Amino acid sequence: MTNKTIMYSIVILVTIIIGCYAYTYEPPGRDPASIEKIRDADISTSLTTDNFDELTKDKLVFIKFYSPGCPHCKELIPAWNELTTYYNEGDNNDNILIGSVDCTDSPKGKGLCAKFKIMGLPTLYYGDASLGGIYLEEYGGDKSFNDLKAVKLEGKCNPGNLDACSASDRKEMKQLMKLPNETIDKKIKELEKQEEELRTGYTDKFNQLQKDYDTLVVNNDLDKLIAKNTIKLIKDIIDRRKKGLDLLLPQ
């Protein structure tokens, strides 16, 4: 075997090794080992489509929707763990659950994120987890431990929690609960129609306002251009007078 053949074989071997490494390598935080490490670092209750209803039944919750590869999600882990410990060790917190949902965990975590229509990460939801979480609200504040701890986890007025209702709301709720299903279905359709009409009306008004705004901008730009040209003309006349130049006047 010649030296040239040996060198050629070495080049091919190195190329194959580099190619395999490039194919399997993932940046830190996205490779399987890092992902599992990030998941394990979160001590809150892991929620999926399989266990959500069971673990959140009759509970007030604070839930984090996240991705192990998301930098902001990783930054949130210490504060979220501290919040979990705060409620786990507190008195009279048996009805409170701090949970996390990995939106990259397909299909169970991913399915839960799709159910709640999660768009950005991390996203936090809190409140009453009744009926699969339809009463949960999105949290939009700062994400330090003190900020998260300040959020009041309390039940909202709903058919399953009448104690949280005011006297008037409780009365209205009880009246609705007495209605037959057919009447409730009819009422829902009427309200959905009203909602659609309001949405359409808003869209029409917004489009008209946008059209009026665009017209105003065009007219304003035109007026400024006319004013600018008139000022230029007047300055030109004054300059010519100062120079003693004859001005052509109409006969």
Side-chain angles (χ1 to χ4, degrees), residues 2 5 51 75 82-83 87 97 105 111 132-133 142 155 178 220 251:
T2 64
T5 302
N51 65 14
E75 292 174 1
E82 196 171 356
L83 184 72
Y87 278 109
L97 180 140
D105 182 17
D142 291 332
K178 291 178 182 179
N220 183 59
Q251 300 296 325

Side-chain angles (χ1 to χ4, degrees), residues 197-210:
E197 290 174 350
L198 288 171
R199 184 184 298 109
T200 302
Y202 169 81
T203 302
D204 292 343
K205 289 179 180 179
F206 177 83
N207 290 337
Q208 184 59 50
L209 287 173
Q210 184 67 55

Side-chain angles (χ1 to χ4, degrees), residues 52-76:
F52 183 86
D53 291 338
E54 177 185 356
L55 296 182
T56 63
K57 184 179 180 181
D58 299 327
K59 289 186 179 291
L60 299 170
V61 301
F62 211 158
I63 301 173
K64 173 186 68 174
F65 296 85
Y66 77 103
S67 163
C70 160
H72 294 299
C73 299
K74 286 185 281 187
E75 292 174 1
L76 180 57

Side-chain angles (χ1 to χ4, degrees), residues 6-22:
I6 294 173
M7 289 298 297
Y8 182 73
S9 300
I10 292 174
V11 170
I12 292 177
L13 180 61
V14 171
T15 301
I16 293 174
I17 293 173
I18 292 175
C20 292
Y21 180 76

Side-chain angles (χ1 to χ4, degrees), residues 163-222:
D163 291 340
C165 302
S166 65
S168 59
D169 288 341
R170 189 183 301 112
K171 181 179 179 180
E172 182 180 359
M173 197 77 67
K174 287 182 177 180
Q175 289 175 345
L176 288 172
M177 293 167 67
K178 291 178 182 179
L179 297 176
N181 290 341
E182 295 80 6
T183 304
I184 291 178
D185 289 339
K186 182 179 178 180
K187 191 173 186 64
I188 289 175
K189 290 179 181 178
E190 290 175 352
L191 291 172
E192 287 177 342
K193 181 181 179 181
Q194 180 182 350
E195 181 185 20
E196 181 60 29
E197 290 174 350
L198 288 171
R199 184 184 298 109
T200 302
Y202 169 81
T203 302
D204 292 343
K205 289 179 180 179
F206 177 83
N207 290 337
Q208 184 59 50
L209 287 173
Q210 184 67 55
K211 183 178 179 180
D212 293 342
Y213 172 78
D214 293 339
T215 302
L216 180 64
V217 169
V218 171
N219 290 337
N220 183 59
D221 289 342
L222 182 60

Side-chain angles (χ1 to χ4, degrees), residues 67-181:
S67 163
C70 160
H72 294 299
C73 299
K74 286 185 281 187
E75 292 174 1
L76 180 57
I77 290 176
W80 200 250
N81 284 345
E82 196 171 356
L83 184 72
T84 302
T85 301
Y86 170 77
Y87 278 109
N88 286 348
E89 295 180 351
D91 297 330
N92 303 318
N93 290 331
D94 292 339
N95 68 325
I96 293 177
L97 180 140
I98 309 300
S100 295
V101 180
D102 182 355
C103 293
T104 66
D105 182 17
S106 183
K108 298 175 181 179
K110 201 169 186 179
L112 203 53
C113 292
K115 173 186 175 182
F116 284 96
K117 300 179 181 179
I118 302 301
M119 301 298 291
L121 297 172
T123 294
L124 308 181
Y125 273 82
Y126 71 99
D128 186 344
S130 300
L131 298 178
I134 64 172
Y135 297 111
L136 294 182
E137 301 178 46
E138 184 173 353
Y139 172 73
D142 291 332
K143 296 179 176 62
S144 70
F145 166 65
N146 288 330
D147 291 314
L148 297 173
K149 184 180 67 172
V151 176
K152 290 185 178 180
L153 297 180
E154 56 187 7
K156 300 293 184 180
C157 174
N158 64 68
N161 188 21
L162 293 178
D163 291 340
C165 302
S166 65
S168 59
D169 288 341
R170 189 183 301 112
K171 181 179 179 180
E172 182 180 359
M173 197 77 67
K174 287 182 177 180
Q175 289 175 345
L176 288 172
M177 293 167 67
K178 291 178 182 179
L179 297 176
N181 290 341

